[in-house]
Amino acid sequence: MKSTTFAAVIGALTVSAAASPSPTKRATSLTPITVKGNAFFAGDKRFYIRGVDYQPGGASNPVDPIADATSCKRDIAEFTKLGINTVRVYTVDNTANHDECMNALAAAGIYLALDVNTPKYSLNRAAPEVSYNKVYLQNVFATIDKFSTYDNTLLFFSGNEVINDDATTSAAPYVKATTRDMKSYINARGYRSIPVGYSAADVDSNRFEMAQYMNCGPDSVRSDFFAFNDYSWCDPSSFTTSGWSQKVATFSNYSIPLFLSEYGCNTNTRKFEEVKSLYSTDMTSVYSGGLVYEYSEEGTKYGLVTISGNSVKEGADFAALQSALAGTPAPSGDGGYQSNLSASACPSESKTWNVTISADQLPAFPDGASTYLKSGAGAGVGLTGAGSQTSGTKSTTLASAGAGAVTSGASAASAGASKTAGASTFGPGEFSFAPLVCGLVVLVSSLFGGALVL
């Protein structure tokens, strides 16, 4: 009778422990990247993004380039020749297995900057209130589940060029809400703190306002970084002629990491002369590098290589970038990064910033989506499925910006530093099985001790 009770308690203990949201990390060879002040770090060493945008097939034929290990390894050989440390992938299949490619990338010293959206599961700038919904977030969270276990997952993009003119700035609150929700999911599920941020279009009239907006308000809703696409340096040019010097001045007090998610103007012959400035003291106190657009030729004349079947042909731009990177090593030291800058002030409504939602409010977490924070997202739908862009309604429920945000994860909880943003938030304690496990251990010990006495 005693042994039966003991076995039952052990079974309960096992089930409780197995229900813990903390993932089992896959072994990789790279140090996870963290954010300190306005820079990225690998351990105690400043990390600069030196990479390319990688999406063979382009937007017209969205396929997952890191699900096919053979083609991935073929391209890793080219990445190594270029001397890069990061690739950006715009679309992945969250039903596929990525272990082989991700570990091969790690072995080559390469990190992944990943967009979590797909053409069918993304925010629609024309109807952001309808496209921000439970169905959308479920698939986003499922992608996070897939890639959070890789140490070389550098960061997640919550959106890409959702705003592409002044009129579509009205979508900004939904981008920010998605960023908040992704950060909350990472914390609630006990994953390491993978940076989450936004990739903005090359739009001069509202780029800075969007950067301010994504970096204002409580920490729980602010981006961990901000990136933008910039094609203003067209060789032959210079740090001042291109206008890059003015952008450095504009962002000089920006408190989170800033980098170029796309660059490489092809108006003239590309020599990538901007690489020298990007990784020099002209810019490193503000910028953390960038990603060249793009690896493969997709009919736009931006490709560094041409892929035909299983073969890769390097173009003149490949050699030019290879030479530019080889001649411009990553700066030594901390590059002049700043650790004590303040969050931005939220921008005011204007003719170029059409955001009418109050700065201290955001769209509330969609009805029914909170279950994912507690129980996980479940399986994603990959590149198929019915899509999510019409799964919501035109009405938007607003709440205080940080309402519902989970602001501390497993590491904070284990240190006794559980913090939430308001009375209505979900706290990590709600997802922790530690008290139950400890209680069961005490009970097991008592029963086992009693059995020895009897």
Side-chain angles (χ1 to χ4, degrees), residues 63-77:
V63 295
D64 184 343
I66 54 175
D68 182 344
T70 299
S71 61
C72 174
K73 289 179 180 179
R74 172 202 66 200
D75 295 331
I76 288 173

PDB file of all heavy atoms in Angstrom, residues 63-77:
ATOM      1  N   VAL A  63       9.530  30.258 -50.184  1.00  0.00           N
ATOM      2  CA  VAL A  63       9.907  28.932 -49.706  1.00  0.00           C
ATOM      3  C   VAL A  63      10.844  29.116 -48.519  1.00  0.00           C
ATOM      4  O   VAL A  63      11.396  30.197 -48.311  1.00  0.00           O
ATOM      5  CB  VAL A  63      10.594  28.094 -50.801  1.00  0.00           C
ATOM      6  CG1 VAL A  63       9.644  27.800 -51.947  1.00  0.00           C
ATOM      7  CG2 VAL A  63      11.842  28.800 -51.315  1.00  0.00           C
ATOM      8  N   ASP A  64      10.998  28.069 -47.745  1.00  0.00           N
ATOM      9  CA  ASP A  64      11.836  28.124 -46.553  1.00  0.00           C
ATOM     10  C   ASP A  64      13.256  27.704 -46.917  1.00  0.00           C
ATOM     11  O   ASP A  64      13.516  26.528 -47.165  1.00  0.00           O
ATOM     12  CB  ASP A  64      11.247  27.182 -45.499  1.00  0.00           C
ATOM     13  CG  ASP A  64      11.985  27.236 -44.182  1.00  0.00           C
ATOM     14  OD1 ASP A  64      13.126  27.734 -44.141  1.00  0.00           O
ATOM     15  OD2 ASP A  64      11.416  26.767 -43.170  1.00  0.00           O
ATOM     16  N   PRO A  65      14.223  28.648 -46.942  1.00  0.00           N
ATOM     17  CA  PRO A  65      15.576  28.290 -47.390  1.00  0.00           C
ATOM     18  C   PRO A  65      16.387  27.519 -46.359  1.00  0.00           C
ATOM     19  O   PRO A  65      17.448  27.003 -46.688  1.00  0.00           O
ATOM     20  CB  PRO A  65      16.210  29.660 -47.670  1.00  0.00           C
ATOM     21  CG  PRO A  65      15.520  30.585 -46.728  1.00  0.00           C
ATOM     22  CD  PRO A  65      14.103  30.076 -46.633  1.00  0.00           C
ATOM     23  N   ILE A  66      15.921  27.463 -45.112  1.00  0.00           N
ATOM     24  CA  ILE A  66      16.691  26.745 -44.099  1.00  0.00           C
ATOM     25  C   ILE A  66      16.033  25.432 -43.694  1.00  0.00           C
ATOM     26  O   ILE A  66      16.459  24.790 -42.734  1.00  0.00           O
ATOM     27  CB  ILE A  66      16.974  27.623 -42.862  1.00  0.00           C
ATOM     28  CG1 ILE A  66      15.700  28.213 -42.290  1.00  0.00           C
ATOM     29  CG2 ILE A  66      17.958  28.720 -43.222  1.00  0.00           C
ATOM     30  CD1 ILE A  66      15.936  28.986 -40.996  1.00  0.00           C
ATOM     31  N   ALA A  67      15.004  25.029 -44.451  1.00  0.00           N
ATOM     32  CA  ALA A  67      14.415  23.712 -44.235  1.00  0.00           C
ATOM     33  C   ALA A  67      15.068  22.662 -45.136  1.00  0.00           C
ATOM     34  O   ALA A  67      15.006  21.469 -44.859  1.00  0.00           O
ATOM     35  CB  ALA A  67      12.906  23.742 -44.496  1.00  0.00           C
ATOM     36  N   ASP A  68      15.687  23.107 -46.218  1.00  0.00           N
ATOM     37  CA  ASP A  68      16.384  22.231 -47.160  1.00  0.00           C
ATOM     38  C   ASP A  68      17.869  22.244 -46.805  1.00  0.00           C
ATOM     39  O   ASP A  68      18.602  23.171 -47.147  1.00  0.00           O
ATOM     40  CB  ASP A  68      16.167  22.726 -48.586  1.00  0.00           C
ATOM     41  CG  ASP A  68      16.821  21.840 -49.640  1.00  0.00           C
ATOM     42  OD1 ASP A  68      17.688  21.009 -49.277  1.00  0.00           O
ATOM     43  OD2 ASP A  68      16.487  21.990 -50.827  1.00  0.00           O
ATOM     44  N   ALA A  69      18.312  21.222 -46.100  1.00  0.00           N
ATOM     45  CA  ALA A  69      19.685  21.188 -45.593  1.00  0.00           C
ATOM     46  C   ALA A  69      20.711  21.183 -46.719  1.00  0.00           C
ATOM     47  O   ALA A  69      21.797  21.777 -46.582  1.00  0.00           O
ATOM     48  CB  ALA A  69      19.880  19.973 -44.693  1.00  0.00           C
ATOM     49  N   THR A  70      20.389  20.551 -47.838  1.00  0.00           N
ATOM     50  CA  THR A  70      21.357  20.460 -48.935  1.00  0.00           C
ATOM     51  C   THR A  70      21.652  21.830 -49.523  1.00  0.00           C
ATOM     52  O   THR A  70      22.817  22.234 -49.667  1.00  0.00           O
ATOM     53  CB  THR A  70      20.827  19.528 -50.035  1.00  0.00           C
ATOM     54  OG1 THR A  70      20.628  18.217 -49.486  1.00  0.00           O
ATOM     55  CG2 THR A  70      21.814  19.438 -51.186  1.00  0.00           C
ATOM     56  N   SER A  71      20.606  22.586 -49.862  1.00  0.00           N
ATOM     57  CA  SER A  71      20.823  23.916 -50.438  1.00  0.00           C
ATOM     58  C   SER A  71      21.366  24.881 -49.392  1.00  0.00           C
ATOM     59  O   SER A  71      22.172  25.759 -49.701  1.00  0.00           O
ATOM     60  CB  SER A  71      19.527  24.456 -51.041  1.00  0.00           C
ATOM     61  OG  SER A  71      18.517  24.572 -50.056  1.00  0.00           O
ATOM     62  N   CYS A  72      20.945  24.695 -48.158  1.00  0.00           N
ATOM     63  CA  CYS A  72      21.449  25.550 -47.086  1.00  0.00           C
ATOM     64  C   CYS A  72      22.960  25.384 -46.936  1.00  0.00           C
ATOM     65  O   CYS A  72      23.700  26.375 -46.879  1.00  0.00           O
ATOM     66  CB  CYS A  72      20.733  25.202 -45.784  1.00  0.00           C
ATOM     67  SG  CYS A  72      21.381  26.049 -44.335  1.00  0.00           S
ATOM     68  N   LYS A  73      23.421  24.156 -46.900  1.00  0.00           N
ATOM     69  CA  LYS A  73      24.862  23.911 -46.747  1.00  0.00           C
ATOM     70  C   LYS A  73      25.641  24.397 -47.974  1.00  0.00           C
ATOM     71  O   LYS A  73      26.769  24.874 -47.855  1.00  0.00           O
ATOM     72  CB  LYS A  73      25.110  22.433 -46.496  1.00  0.00           C
ATOM     73  CG  LYS A  73      24.644  21.974 -45.122  1.00  0.00           C
ATOM     74  CD  LYS A  73      24.876  20.483 -44.918  1.00  0.00           C
ATOM     75  CE  LYS A  73      24.409  20.033 -43.539  1.00  0.00           C
ATOM     76  NZ  LYS A  73      24.606  18.575 -43.338  1.00  0.00           N
ATOM     77  N   ARG A  74      25.027  24.277 -49.147  1.00  0.00           N
ATOM     78  CA  ARG A  74      25.645  24.821 -50.367  1.00  0.00           C
ATOM     79  C   ARG A  74      25.878  26.320 -50.208  1.00  0.00           C
ATOM     80  O   ARG A  74      26.947  26.837 -50.546  1.00  0.00           O
ATOM     81  CB  ARG A  74      24.718  24.550 -51.549  1.00  0.00           C
ATOM     82  CG  ARG A  74      25.120  25.210 -52.865  1.00  0.00           C
ATOM     83  CD  ARG A  74      23.919  25.343 -53.798  1.00  0.00           C
ATOM     84  NE  ARG A  74      22.921  26.259 -53.270  1.00  0.00           N
ATOM     85  CZ  ARG A  74      21.645  26.281 -53.653  1.00  0.00           C
ATOM     86  NH1 ARG A  74      21.199  25.432 -54.562  1.00  0.00           N
ATOM     87  NH2 ARG A  74      20.805  27.172 -53.126  1.00  0.00           N
ATOM     88  N   ASP A  75      24.876  27.021 -49.674  1.00  0.00           N
ATOM     89  CA  ASP A  75      24.979  28.474 -49.542  1.00  0.00           C
ATOM     90  C   ASP A  75      25.853  28.885 -48.363  1.00  0.00           C
ATOM     91  O   ASP A  75      26.473  29.959 -48.403  1.00  0.00           O
ATOM     92  CB  ASP A  75      23.583  29.072 -49.410  1.00  0.00           C
ATOM     93  CG  ASP A  75      22.743  28.865 -50.665  1.00  0.00           C
ATOM     94  OD1 ASP A  75      23.337  28.781 -51.765  1.00  0.00           O
ATOM     95  OD2 ASP A  75      21.511  28.763 -50.556  1.00  0.00           O
ATOM     96  N   ILE A  76      25.927  28.051 -47.336  1.00  0.00           N
ATOM     97  CA  ILE A  76      26.806  28.361 -46.208  1.00  0.00           C
ATOM     98  C   ILE A  76      28.256  28.466 -46.673  1.00  0.00           C
ATOM     99  O   ILE A  76      29.023  29.297 -46.170  1.00  0.00           O
ATOM    100  CB  ILE A  76      26.647  27.311 -45.085  1.00  0.00           C
ATOM    101  CG1 ILE A  76      25.300  27.501 -44.381  1.00  0.00           C
ATOM    102  CG2 ILE A  76      27.788  27.403 -44.075  1.00  0.00           C
ATOM    103  CD1 ILE A  76      24.973  26.428 -43.371  1.00  0.00           C
ATOM    104  N   ALA A  77      28.624  27.650 -47.638  1.00  0.00           N
ATOM    105  CA  ALA A  77      29.978  27.733 -48.185  1.00  0.00           C
ATOM    106  C   ALA A  77      30.226  29.118 -48.792  1.00  0.00           C
ATOM    107  O   ALA A  77      31.326  29.686 -48.661  1.00  0.00           O
ATOM    108  CB  ALA A  77      30.180  26.652 -49.238  1.00  0.00           C
TER     109      ALA A  77
END
